[in-house]
Amino acid sequence: MGLLPEEWQAVRLSLSVAFRSVAFGLPPAVLAAWLLARGRFPGRALLDALVHLPLVMPPVVVGWLLLVTFGLRGPVGSLLNEWFGIRLVFTTAGASLATAVMSFPLIVRAVRLSLDAVDPGLEAAARTLGAGPLDRFVTVTLPLIAPGILSGAITAFAAGLGEFGAVITFASNIPGETQTLPLAIYAATQTPGGEAVAARLAAVSLALAVAGLLLADLAGRRLSLALGRAPR
């Protein structure tokens, strides 16, 4: 199955956007999961709802909210542009941001499930030995939730490869800049005689999605075994 240069460009851009979205979203997702799993504070339910909003909202609405917030006239986008010369709207970085927002809940849920499975007695034992909160997290909690973090990151990466609504709304469909695989497939379906192009790109998208899901499961199992835990 040979792809044309512009089709390979869409594949490479999709991989780049998905990777950057995970890199951007992973640290705050781990923090959010920890707050939701271990925190007891006013507004916890509201934070939980906000974190999971992208799962239930139409992606186009998420893209529109990003456009309103990070656009050149938005409250955040205007400041970024004026103070630092950073423009997110209609750029590859903007596509990565939109993808990160949509895949953020997937990482949070995976990490939170791993946190819920951690035996509190292990952390309590570390505390009695004099370990502080940061030491306990780095030396006890983090290694135990590593399979969840890895699985969540890979799943979010695979999901990011297929993000469409938020990306096209916030970053548009610019070949070579923001035209990822789903957008390239959409453009091909709108072009007379583009059925063959759409079929090739759809096959690549399907293969990448299946590979990502299989890799997430395999990585989680391997890491669980390496930590001496029975894989679920």
Side-chain angles (χ1 to χ4, degrees):
M1 181 178 57
L3 298 180
L4 300 176
E6 58 269 23
E7 296 167 3
W8 276 117
Q9 187 178 53
V11 174
R12 288 192 296 268
L13 185 60
S14 291
L15 293 171
S16 174
V17 166
F19 177 81
R20 292 167 67 176
S21 70
V22 173
F24 294 159
L26 188 58
V30 173
L31 175 60
W34 187 86
L35 288 174
L36 293 174
R38 302 296 173 81
R40 296 295 181 270
F41 54 89
R44 179 171 171 269
L46 178 60
L47 176 62
D48 193 8
L50 290 175
V51 165
H52 292 91
L53 264 182
L55 288 179
V56 296
M57 288 178 61
V60 174
V61 175
V62 175
W64 178 81
L65 291 174
L66 290 174
L67 188 61
V68 170
T69 305
F70 292 96
L72 294 180
R73 296 184 180 180
V76 178
S78 60
L79 294 179
L80 290 176
N81 187 48
E82 293 174 8
W83 292 359
F84 306 104
I86 298 175
R87 181 173 65 90
L88 294 175
V89 64
F90 307 141
T91 64
T92 304
S96 301
L97 174 62
T99 303
V101 171
M102 293 301 301
S103 60
F104 186 80
L106 299 176
I107 306 178
V108 173
R109 289 176 68 85
V111 177
R112 187 176 179 181
L113 288 173
S114 294
L115 280 167
D116 290 338
V118 172
D119 184 1
L122 298 175
E123 296 174 321
R127 183 170 58 250
T128 59
L129 294 174
L134 182 59
D135 289 337
R136 292 198 303 272
F137 179 78
V138 173
T139 60
V140 178
T141 308
L142 187 59
L144 291 175
I145 66 174
I149 294 176
L150 183 59
S151 297
I154 297 176
T155 303
F157 178 85
L161 293 173
E163 180 50 45
F164 177 82
V167 173
I168 197 172
T169 305
F170 180 59
S172 190
N173 187 7
I174 306 172
E177 183 71 26
T178 64
Q179 190 180 75
T180 56
L181 260 175
L183 274 63
I185 295 172
Y186 172 77
T189 60
Q190 304 302 306
T191 303
E195 293 82 3
V197 175
R200 288 196 298 269
L201 294 177
V204 172
S205 181
L206 177 62
L208 289 174
V210 172
L213 292 174
L214 292 177
L215 182 60
D217 181 70
L218 178 62
R221 289 175 178 273
R222 290 290 180 86
L223 192 51
S224 294
L225 290 174
L227 293 171
R229 299 167 57 189
R232 291 177 293 177

